[in-house]
Amino acid sequence: MKKKPSSKETIRRGFSILSYMEPNVSLTSRRIYQKLVDDGYDISQRTVERDLRELPDMFPNQILVIDRMKPYGYRLPRNHRKYSGMSPSEAVCLQLAVDYLNPLLPSRTLDPIFPYLKEAEIVLKQKSAIKMKRWKRKVLTQYEGLQLEPAKIDRQILNDIHIALWNGSSIKVLYLSKNNKTPKEYFIHPGGLVYRGRVSYLVGSFDGNADNLIYLPLHRFKKVSILEEYSVHRNADIRKLSEELLGFKVNSDKVKVLLKFTRFAGTHLYESPLSSSQKITESRDGYLLVEDKVTDDMELRFWIRGFGDEVEVVRPKSLRQEFIQMSKRMSEKYEKD
């Protein structure tokens, strides 16, 4: 025997039923029951049939009964707007998405969806959502590498930047560079925000010079004033503005690399390759030779460094020479003792 749901659960379930209604599709009670079950409700079909006896009288503009023959059908009356409500499956999807994104974003950037997170929390406390609530205990997101704390961003400053971007306005800021002890005043034409790992950036240009793009970490802004002057980047796409900026690109063209990995370090590239064009062959001495065409940027160098002596740069010669010089400098540091 299932426990009788609370009135709050009944109301929320009714909203979910209303959200299923479409103007050109008629649903039977059996189909509505199945959709509720698929969405995480733990209820009986009899409960759904009881709901469907009451909802058309309570919401005549949202649900129409097609009673010309049995089984009865239910749909949205034509020329009426569709209703929406959060189901248990939607609630758990939202919470899992936030769990995944939270380590990647400064916490304050989640503020706009806080009401939805609160609603998801309430939905998953209902008895009829118990199965979906259990699912959260069955999955876990973990991240590779050392996880640093996100840089702290002033809430009001972030809000002012959002407003400037929304209105397409330029801004006057006090910005503390990592090389200075006191903040300086700048006039910036914002182009957009990029959330990149634990540090978030404002992309734009100083004094309206559209060709001289800069990216500034948000946590170094000390004050923001919104100006009446329009930003020269107000109609720009942040994807295009940032594609060659934040990766610390060394060359504009891609470079063909050949990397020699130990089997221990390189086997994972069979399962998660650099790209669809990657090629892996095995050398006579048991190493994995990985060949691909990649963006020639600092991210590539950081990634290769992470494998230490488990990888050797074979080609191109210029990149190999960089790592030869770096290894010499490291040797000198460690041989001082």
Side-chain angles (χ1 to χ4, degrees):
M1 288 289 291
K2 296 183 183 296
K3 293 183 178 180
K4 185 177 179 180
S6 69
S7 58
K8 289 183 179 179
E9 292 183 52
T10 302
I11 292 171
R12 189 168 293 280
R13 187 176 62 251
F15 285 168
S16 292
I17 293 174
L18 294 178
S19 73
Y20 301 151
M21 297 297 107
E22 300 283 355
N24 301 315
V25 179
S26 178
L27 301 175
T28 63
S29 61
R30 178 68 186 175
R31 179 62 183 140
I32 292 171
Y33 164 73
Q34 190 58 54
K35 288 173 75 69
L36 286 167
V37 171
D38 292 344
D39 277 342
Y41 288 96
D42 187 18
I43 53 172
S44 67
Q45 185 169 344
R46 183 175 295 180
T47 299
V48 176
E49 291 170 350
R50 185 169 58 247
D51 291 341
L52 291 171
R53 286 196 295 269
E54 299 173 355
L55 284 172
D57 293 331
M58 297 170 63
F59 300 94
N61 293 331
Q62 296 295 330
I63 181 168
L64 177 68
V65 183
I66 311 300
D67 58 0
R68 291 190 296 270
M69 63 181 67
K70 292 186 177 182
Y72 291 171
Y74 303 85
R75 65 172 175 81
L76 180 72
R78 287 182 175 82
N79 301 320
H80 284 81
R81 292 183 61 188
K82 184 177 174 67
Y83 194 87
S84 64
M86 188 180 293
S87 66
S89 63
E90 291 168 336
V92 79
C93 283
L94 179 61
Q95 287 195 345
L96 288 173
V98 170
D99 287 346
Y100 179 84
L101 290 172
N102 192 43
L104 305 179
L105 301 175
S107 59
R108 299 198 187 284
T109 61
L110 297 175
D111 287 355
I113 66 169
F114 178 78
Y116 302 100
L117 295 175
K118 192 66 178 176
E119 183 179 1
E121 183 181 335
I122 294 171
V123 169
L124 292 177
K125 285 181 179 178
Q126 298 172 358
K127 292 185 178 66
S128 59
I130 188 65
K131 290 182 179 178
M132 274 296 172
K133 187 176 181 180
R134 288 195 197 113
W135 182 251
K136 282 200 65 182
R137 300 201 296 266
K138 303 301 179 184
V139 291
L140 174 66
T141 300
Q142 290 188 332
Y143 298 87
E144 292 182 315
L146 181 65
Q147 296 299 303
L148 304 178
E149 288 293 319
K152 294 181 179 179
I153 302 170
D154 184 276
R155 183 171 189 167
Q156 185 58 51
I157 286 175
L158 182 60
N159 183 63
D160 289 340
I161 291 175
H162 283 168
I163 294 173
L165 288 170
W166 181 263
N167 294 330
S169 304
S170 59
I171 55 178
K172 181 175 71 173
V173 308
L174 282 178
Y175 179 80
L176 180 62
S177 169
K178 65 178 180 180
N179 298 320
N180 295 327
K181 293 183 178 180
T182 57
K184 291 185 177 181
E185 185 177 275
Y186 298 96
F187 290 91
I188 298 175
H189 286 242
L193 296 173
V194 176
Y195 297 108
R196 193 168 184 267
R198 297 298 174 142
V199 179
S200 304
Y201 299 88
L202 174 67
V203 176
S205 58
F206 290 128
D207 300 318
N209 187 351
D211 296 326
N212 187 20
L213 290 171
I214 48 97
Y215 61 97
L216 302 173
L218 292 179
H219 63 274
R220 294 185 186 147
F221 284 80
K222 302 304 176 184
K223 186 178 180 181
V224 172
S225 300
I226 303 171
L227 306 177
E228 293 184 2
E229 181 183 357
Y230 280 124
S231 169
V232 296
H233 304 296
R234 64 186 181 278
N235 297 319
D237 186 335
I238 186 59
R239 292 161 185 78
K240 293 181 179 179
L241 288 180
S242 63
E243 62 184 0
E244 295 188 5
L245 194 62
L246 291 175
F248 307 100
K249 187 169 286 189
V250 176
N251 295 313
S252 57
D253 297 327
K254 287 194 172 183
V255 61
K256 195 171 185 178
V257 296
L258 177 61
L259 306 174
K260 187 176 181 180
F261 283 91
T262 64
R263 294 191 66 85
F264 175 79
T267 303
H268 73 285
L269 291 170
Y270 282 112
E271 300 165 337
S272 54
L274 288 169
S275 75
S276 58
S277 61
Q278 171 188 285
K279 294 179 181 178
I280 298 182
T281 55
E282 197 167 327
S283 66
R284 292 182 179 179
D285 51 358
Y287 287 85
L288 298 180
L289 299 176
V290 179
E291 191 173 6
D292 203 355
K293 209 168 188 179
V294 297
T295 301
D296 189 11
D297 59 10
M298 292 305 298
E299 294 287 0
L300 171 64
R301 289 154 175 79
F302 296 153
W303 179 72
I304 295 174
R305 288 180 193 176
F307 293 101
D309 63 352
E310 299 284 335
V311 64
E312 176 189 350
V313 178
V314 181
R315 289 197 300 268
K317 288 184 178 180
S318 58
L319 185 61
R320 178 178 176 86
Q321 191 61 35
E322 285 183 38
F323 276 84
I324 289 174
Q325 295 302 321
M326 183 183 67
S327 62
K328 287 181 179 179
R329 291 193 298 269
M330 290 183 66
S331 295
E332 289 173 0
K333 289 180 182 294
Y334 285 101
E335 289 174 357
K336 285 181 180 179
D337 296 337

